Amino acid sequence: MRILFSGCPGYGHIHPMLPLARAAARAGHDVAVATGPDLAPHLVERGYETWAVGPTFAESWDERNAALPDLATVPPERHISLDTVALFGASAAKRAVDLVPRAQAWRPDLVVHETVEFAGALAARRSGATHVTHGLGVAPPAPMRQVLRSAMGDVYAWWQAPGLADEVLAAPYLDISPRALHPEGSRRSPTWCPCARTQVRSYPSTGCRPPSRPGPARTSRI
C-alpha cells in the first residue's frame, strides 16, 4: 500500500504523525511525507521519503500578518476563525499546487492529513485515494468543525471540489489523545477513532484499532 502523510510545516503538525508513518513503513508499506521546504530536510535526515511542497511556515506567517493587519482590534472570539483561513487555508491552497500533481503521479492508496492540512484531502480526491484526518489532539468540538468547514470550503471552491469539506468531516478522525483529556460525558463525533498502542509490525487492514497482541517492549503509537 502507498500511504501519503501531509501536514503544515510546523513541528506540532508533522511530528504527531511520524509514529504512524514509521510504523507503516516498518510494516512494509510505501510511505511519503509531504510538508513545507523548511521542515523537509529534518524529515529526510530521519529517513523519510519527503516531498517539499508549498510555502515555508515563515512565508505563511508573513502572509497571515499581511492579511490580518488589524487583528488586535478584532474580538478575541473571532481570532481562531480568521487565523484558520488566513494562515492554514491560504497556505493549503498554495501547497495543493505542488501536492496535487505529485499525488496524481504517485497514486497513493491512502492519504493521512492533519487537522488543518486542507491540501491533503484535495490530493486524495484528485488521485483517487482514501483519506483520513490525523488528530493533533482531541477531536474538534462542533464550533471548531464549523470553522474548519468554512476554511476548507474556500480552498475547495477554487479547486472545484464540491462537497469535499463535508467529506473530510465525515472521514475517520484518528485521535492520539489519552482518554483522560476527554471531558467526562463528552459526545464524540461518529467518525472518532482511537489510536491504539501496538507492535510496529502490525497494521490495521480495517478499522482504526488493531487487535492487541503480546510482543516485545518496542512499540509505536499508531
Side-chain angles (χ1 to χ4, degrees):
M1 177 183 290
R2 288 185 171 181
I3 307 176
L4 172 61
F5 290 80
S6 182
C8 301
Y11 289 107
H13 293 258
I14 287 292
H15 278 192
M17 296 193 293
L18 295 186
L20 180 56
R22 179 69 73 187
R26 286 175 173 168
H29 301 294
D30 294 328
V31 172
V33 182
T35 191
D38 45 341
L39 204 57
H42 301 286
L43 300 177
V44 172
E45 290 175 359
R46 288 159 176 77
Y48 294 97
E49 179 182 343
T50 307
W51 301 356
V53 293
T56 66
F57 187 83
E59 291 168 341
S60 298
W61 189 256
D62 287 344
E63 291 192 14
R64 173 261 192 197
N65 289 338
L68 302 173
D70 302 318
L71 187 62
T73 65
V74 176
E77 60 270 19
R78 292 192 58 210
H79 285 195
I80 192 167
S81 60
L82 293 173
D83 257 338
T84 301
V85 172
L87 179 59
F88 300 114
S91 65
K94 292 186 175 183
R95 196 159 39 251
V97 173
D98 297 330
L99 181 62
V100 168
R102 291 200 66 167
Q104 288 176 315
W106 195 57
R107 306 293 294 180
D109 299 289
L110 173 67
V111 176
V112 181
H113 59 86
E114 44 95 355
T115 311
V116 292
E117 163 53 330
F118 309 142
L122 188 57
R125 172 173 283 194
R126 291 297 181 92
S127 62
T130 300
H131 61 88
V132 300
T133 299
H134 192 293
L136 304 176
V138 296
M144 187 61 199
R145 288 169 64 87
Q146 287 300 115
V147 169
L148 293 171
R149 177 181 280 109
S150 177
M152 283 188 282
D154 292 341
V155 176
Y156 299 152
W158 191 90
W159 279 84
Q160 298 182 349
L164 186 53
D166 289 333
E167 186 179 305
V168 170
L169 294 175
Y173 179 91
L174 308 182
D175 191 342
I176 61 173
S177 60
R179 186 179 300 275
L181 291 183
H182 293 271
E184 186 68 26
S186 62
R187 296 181 61 186
R188 298 190 178 103
S189 165
T191 63
W192 175 81
C193 198
C195 288
R197 197 165 184 82
T198 186
Q199 298 178 58
V200 296
R201 289 185 178 277
S202 64
Y203 189 78
S205 56
T206 59
C208 296
R209 182 187 290 276
S212 298
R213 299 180 183 176
R218 185 183 65 163
T219 58
S220 284
R221 188 83 176 165
I222 71 171

